[in-house]
Amino acid sequence: MALDLHHVVDGPADGPAVLFGPSLGTDLHLFDAQVAALSDRFRCVRFDLPGHGDSAPVTGDLTISELGRGALAAADAAGIGDFHYVGVSIGGAIGQWLGVHGGERVRSIAVLATAARFPNPDSWPQRAATVRADGTAAMVGSRPGTWYVETWAQRDPAGERRLLDMLRAADDESYAACCAAIKAAA
């Protein structure tokens, strides 16, 4: 499946490019603070996963390969050739795929809160089933301690609300499709 991932470009056209890949349940705004700090000298390109933010929803299962090709297509659409890559969780798995398949385009990779093989592969179909039945809001209670520590949430309740609102807004079926990609990468 060819993915057309919504993306946003910030920073000077002639700056070195950084491509940002978000975590499952978040959108490109996950990287707002990083872009604010970097976009005076770097060309920052952020993309949304399918059904997250402003990317179109999908049905059926996805693979990390499809998501990686979608990230490359977003880079192409943004007019960037080579780039540094930063990814969180599934965004990190996409980065690992880019490291293997992205060739000379990938200058460096930083992956955060991810794995070469995700643990508990049998939990991902259950998560997908839960979201299909009850919506992404069913995942909200599992995010404290996973996405952030409680002391941060106490210091920045608006930041916590912003993250959890991203999760609530994600398309249920697309979230489940991304769970299938994670399971297959496990």
Side-chain angles (χ1 to χ4, degrees), residues 68-138:
R69 286 192 302 275
L72 286 173
D76 291 341
I80 61 172
D82 62 351
F83 53 86
H84 302 278
Y85 183 84
V86 177
V88 178
S89 190
I90 194 171
I94 293 166
Q96 292 172 69
W97 184 91
L98 289 170
V100 173
H101 303 283
E104 298 292 321
R105 295 186 72 177
V106 183
R107 299 178 56 108
S108 68
I109 301 171
V111 295
L112 311 142
T114 193
R117 297 190 68 126
F118 284 87
N120 306 318
D122 294 336
S123 70
W124 293 100
Q126 179 56 49
R127 184 186 288 202
T130 297
V131 166
R132 284 182 173 120
D134 301 324
T136 55

Side-chain angles (χ1 to χ4, degrees), residues 44-168:
C44 298
V45 179
R46 299 172 283 166
F47 63 86
D48 286 324
L49 296 168
H52 293 64
D54 289 325
S55 281
V58 297
T59 57
D61 293 347
L62 289 170
T63 65
I64 296 298
S65 176
E66 289 169 322
L67 294 166
R69 286 192 302 275
L72 286 173
D76 291 341
I80 61 172
D82 62 351
F83 53 86
H84 302 278
Y85 183 84
V86 177
V88 178
S89 190
I90 194 171
I94 293 166
Q96 292 172 69
W97 184 91
L98 289 170
V100 173
H101 303 283
E104 298 292 321
R105 295 186 72 177
V106 183
R107 299 178 56 108
S108 68
I109 301 171
V111 295
L112 311 142
T114 193
R117 297 190 68 126
F118 284 87
N120 306 318
D122 294 336
S123 70
W124 293 100
Q126 179 56 49
R127 184 186 288 202
T130 297
V131 166
R132 284 182 173 120
D134 301 324
T136 55
M139 295 289 100
V140 167
S142 67
R143 298 305 80 201
T146 301
W147 277 359
Y148 54 84
V149 295
E150 194 59 39
T151 54
W152 173 80
Q154 292 167 354
R155 283 191 320 271
D156 189 0
E160 178 188 37
R161 214 170 17 262
R162 182 177 67 91
L163 283 174
L164 297 178
D165 285 348
M166 286 181 204
L167 176 57
R168 289 181 188 99

